[in-house]
Every structure is written in C-alpha cells, then in structure tokens.
Amino acid sequence: IKMKKHIIKMDFEEKLAHLQPIELLGIARILRVDVAEPSADPDAKPIPRSGEAIIADMRASYYQLNRTQKRNLNLLLNSLVAHGKQIIVDGGEQQ
C-alpha cells in the first residue's frame, strides 16, 4: 500500500477532520470516549454530547497512549483518510 506523504504529515486533529461521522465515532470507541451523556435512568434515551467535548476527550485519550498504540492508531487513521473517498451505501455496496 502506497501512502500519500501529505497524510503522514498531518497531526491527529487534522486526520480526525477528514473522517466521515461514522468513522469518527469508531475512533471514539477505540479510544473509549463516551459519545452520550451518562444517564441515571437506564430506560431513558441517551443524550448525545457536543462534538467539541467528544473531540477534546479523544485528543486527551490519544496523547495518553504509548508509542506503539499511537503508531497503530495512526496507521488506521492514515488508511481511513487515504480511502475516504469511498462511500458505503446500504447493502455494503461501494461507489
């Protein structure tokens, strides 16, 4: 796989800015960042957190990772950014 050099030079926040919303939520899950406010009532509908709060927590979690974990996450992010032009439609088809 040939990586574009401009992707590798992006910092973590720039790579996040190039992701689709579903990809961003996946990275948040990998970093164990909550995307909904905790609720005392388990039957209540979850209340989404603000995007700024989610990104701030993702940034804090990223900088707490060790070197190997950061490298692996950056490989994933580089792949997502490089192939971000593909759109996944219902049924798993790609355009």
Side-chain angles (χ1 to χ4, degrees):
I1 298 175
K2 187 174 181 182
M3 280 275 175
K4 296 180 181 177
K5 291 183 181 179
H6 71 277
I7 293 173
I8 295 169
K9 291 183 180 183
M10 287 183 192
D11 66 1
F12 177 69
E13 291 84 5
E14 287 177 298
K15 291 176 187 176
L16 290 181
H18 284 84
L19 298 181
Q20 297 294 320
I22 193 73
E23 295 167 338
L24 190 68
L25 292 175
I27 299 298
R29 176 143 184 156
I30 289 170
L31 291 171
R32 297 187 175 121
V33 172
D34 291 327
V35 294
E37 294 289 342
S39 175
D41 182 11
D43 296 329
K45 188 174 180 180
I47 301 168
R49 295 176 60 209
S50 71
E52 293 86 7
I54 293 171
I55 296 295
D57 287 353
M58 288 175 71
R59 186 182 306 121
S61 293
Y62 174 79
Y63 290 113
Q64 290 178 355
L65 297 176
N66 66 38
R67 184 175 180 213
T68 303
Q69 291 169 325
K70 282 182 186 174
R71 187 178 321 133
N72 290 335
L73 184 59
N74 277 315
L75 286 172
L76 175 62
L77 287 170
N78 289 344
S79 176
L80 289 172
V81 171
H83 299 99
K85 298 183 179 36
Q86 295 178 353
I87 299 171
I88 298 175
V89 191
D90 290 337
E93 300 168 5
Q94 293 184 353
Q95 294 180 352

